[in-house]
């Protein structure tokens, strides 16, 4: 990693109030960022990403909460084993083992994209552990209106998996409505990481497409108050999927952000954080009033 890239990523982590840590879980060394004090919030990133995707949003959460953002096994600085499956059932259980190793029994859970599926499935399987659930452009349901990625994959072009620099550049254009500034050294670092792992990433993407039972069947099992955030310019997962989640989770509310793509946690970090903070405070008051 170049010195410039290290400085940029390190500064974002520092600004978020994060320190880097790691823990061994079975065959995987799991890297994670932790900062802040108070009730615990666990952040789960999306496909091809890492905990660093949360830095801009997390900096607004660590002022009031203890925030833990992990690199899911197979991604970021955590262990990736070529012969191992990183399909959803295995990842939900690895997340459970990770949280158990940290001694966490009750926490807020927030997931983006792939992490949204993992978080939804986790809240359905371990409802007693999840205080509130946050879903940002979550994956996992049949889109009422097929999105651009689904149509491209059906045509044989999965642009979510980049095999060279031009494909990685295209990927960034697709996932953001407005690409944020990224130093050339950081772009190069992220591109090299994506390209180096592209074959395994393609297999993981394939593994993620079949789930039994379906997530739609599991959503009614979610008991936690749930906030759903989606950008109306999302080209990865069509915003029509938001209503599927809202109808499936009985105690949920939805915010659709105009002019935002698949990465609200970066493109609209301030609004996502403020909306989540208000949502959790409202959920807390509701519980107190009912007690």
């Amino acid at each position: 990693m170049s010195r410039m890239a290290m400085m940029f990523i390190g500064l974002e982590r520092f600004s978020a109030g994060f320190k880097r840590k790691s823990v061994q879980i079975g065959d995987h060394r799991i890297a994670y960022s932790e900062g802040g004090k108070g009730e615990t919030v666990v952040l789960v990133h999306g496909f091809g990403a890492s905990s660093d995707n949360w830095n801009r949003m997390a900096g607004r959460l660590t002022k009031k909460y203890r925030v833990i953002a992990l690199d899911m096994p197979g991604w970021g600085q955590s262990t990736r084993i070529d012969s191992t499956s990183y399909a959803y059932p295995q990842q939900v259980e690895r997340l459970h083992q990770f949280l158990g190793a940290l001694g966490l029994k009750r926490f807020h859970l927030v997931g983006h994209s792939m992490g949204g599926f993992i978080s939804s499935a986790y809240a359905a399987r371990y409802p007693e552990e999840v205080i509130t659930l946050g879903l940002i452009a979550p994956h996992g349901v049949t889109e009422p209106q097929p999105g651009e990625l689904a149509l491209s994959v059906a045509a044989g072009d999965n642009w979510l998996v980049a095999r060279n620099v031009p494909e990685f550049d295209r990927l960034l254009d697709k996932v953001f409505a407005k690409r944020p500034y990224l130093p050339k050294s950081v772009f190069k670092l992220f591109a090299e990481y994506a390209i180096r792992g592209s074959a395994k990433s393609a297999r993981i993407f394939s593994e993620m497409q079949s789930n039994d039972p379906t997530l739609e069947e599991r959503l009614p099992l979610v008991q936690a108050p749930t906030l759903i955030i989606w950008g109306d310019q999302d080209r990865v997962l069509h915003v029509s999927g938001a209503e599927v989640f809202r109808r499936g989770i009985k105690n949920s509310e939805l915010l659709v952000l105009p002019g935002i793509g698949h990465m609200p946690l970066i493109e609209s970090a301030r609004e996502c954080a403020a909306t989540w903070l208000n949502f959790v405070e409202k959920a807390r008051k509701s519980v107190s009033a009912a007690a």
Side-chain angles (χ1 to χ4, degrees):
M1 188 185 298
S2 73
R3 180 173 300 222
M4 179 66 77
M6 288 176 63
M7 288 177 60
F8 181 84
I9 296 171
L11 180 60
E12 281 210 328
R13 291 173 181 166
F14 177 80
S15 297
F18 275 153
K19 291 184 178 180
R20 290 295 275 177
K21 300 181 179 182
S22 66
V23 62
Q24 188 73 31
I25 304 294
D27 294 335
H28 290 82
R29 192 74 182 171
I30 299 180
Y32 64 100
S33 295
E34 180 177 349
K37 294 181 180 179
E39 288 185 337
T40 301
V41 185
V42 179
L43 306 177
V44 187
H45 65 78
F47 180 89
S50 74
S51 57
D52 287 317
N53 280 31
W54 293 104
N55 289 339
R56 297 183 187 189
M57 181 174 166
R60 295 171 168 84
L61 306 184
T62 51
K63 295 178 176 64
K64 295 186 68 174
Y65 293 90
R66 176 193 181 195
V67 181
I68 295 172
L70 73 154
D71 290 351
M72 283 299 295
W75 303 103
Q77 294 179 316
S78 292
T79 306
R80 171 180 281 202
I81 302 171
D82 282 343
S83 59
T84 294
S85 172
Y86 296 99
Y88 283 124
Q90 289 86 341
Q91 292 291 69
V92 169
E93 290 313 303
R94 290 185 185 116
L95 177 60
H96 188 239
Q97 292 168 11
F98 168 77
L99 297 174
L102 296 188
L104 296 176
K105 296 181 179 179
R106 288 277 287 169
F107 46 84
H108 303 275
L109 185 58
V110 184
H112 169 243
S113 196
M114 174 189 78
F117 188 124
I118 293 170
S119 298
S120 300
Y122 194 103
R125 179 154 187 174
Y126 302 105
E128 70 284 355
E129 297 181 14
V130 181
I131 304 170
T132 67
L133 178 63
L135 302 175
I136 302 179
H139 178 240
V141 301
T142 301
E143 298 168 304
Q145 183 177 335
E148 186 174 325
L149 177 64
L151 295 172
S152 293
V153 169
D157 178 18
N158 183 1
W159 44 257
L160 206 58
V161 177
R163 295 160 296 181
N164 52 54
V165 172
E167 288 187 359
F168 184 75
D169 194 53
R170 178 180 66 157
L171 167 62
L172 293 186
D173 282 338
K174 297 282 192 183
V175 299
F176 292 102
K178 298 175 183 176
R179 279 176 65 166
Y181 168 72
L182 199 64
K184 289 183 179 179
S185 61
V186 179
F187 172 88
K188 181 180 179 182
L189 173 70
F190 289 167
E192 288 175 350
Y193 170 80
I195 294 164
R196 185 169 60 248
S198 60
K200 177 63 173 175
S201 295
R203 293 198 298 274
I204 296 173
F205 184 91
S206 179
E207 291 172 347
M208 288 165 49
Q209 305 315 306
S210 58
N211 295 282
D212 186 21
T214 66
L215 186 59
E216 282 100 327
E217 294 175 75
R218 285 180 268 177
L219 291 180
L221 299 175
V222 176
Q223 298 177 17
T226 300
L227 172 66
I228 305 158
I229 299 176
W230 220 299
D232 72 350
Q233 300 299 308
D234 195 328
R235 301 161 80 179
V236 178
L237 297 170
H238 196 272
V239 67
S240 62
E243 280 297 324
V244 180
F245 279 92
R246 189 188 65 79
R247 291 194 305 267
I249 301 174
K250 55 183 176 290
N251 187 7
S252 63
E253 59 183 67
L254 169 64
L255 172 65
V256 176
L257 299 171
I260 299 298
H262 186 59
M263 306 294 291
L265 67 168
I266 295 175
E267 291 183 77
S268 191
R270 185 187 302 273
E271 186 169 5
C272 283
T275 302
W276 184 86
L277 288 166
N278 289 336
F279 172 80
V280 171
E281 188 60 31
K282 185 171 65 175
R284 181 178 289 112
K285 290 178 179 178
S286 177
V287 170
S288 297

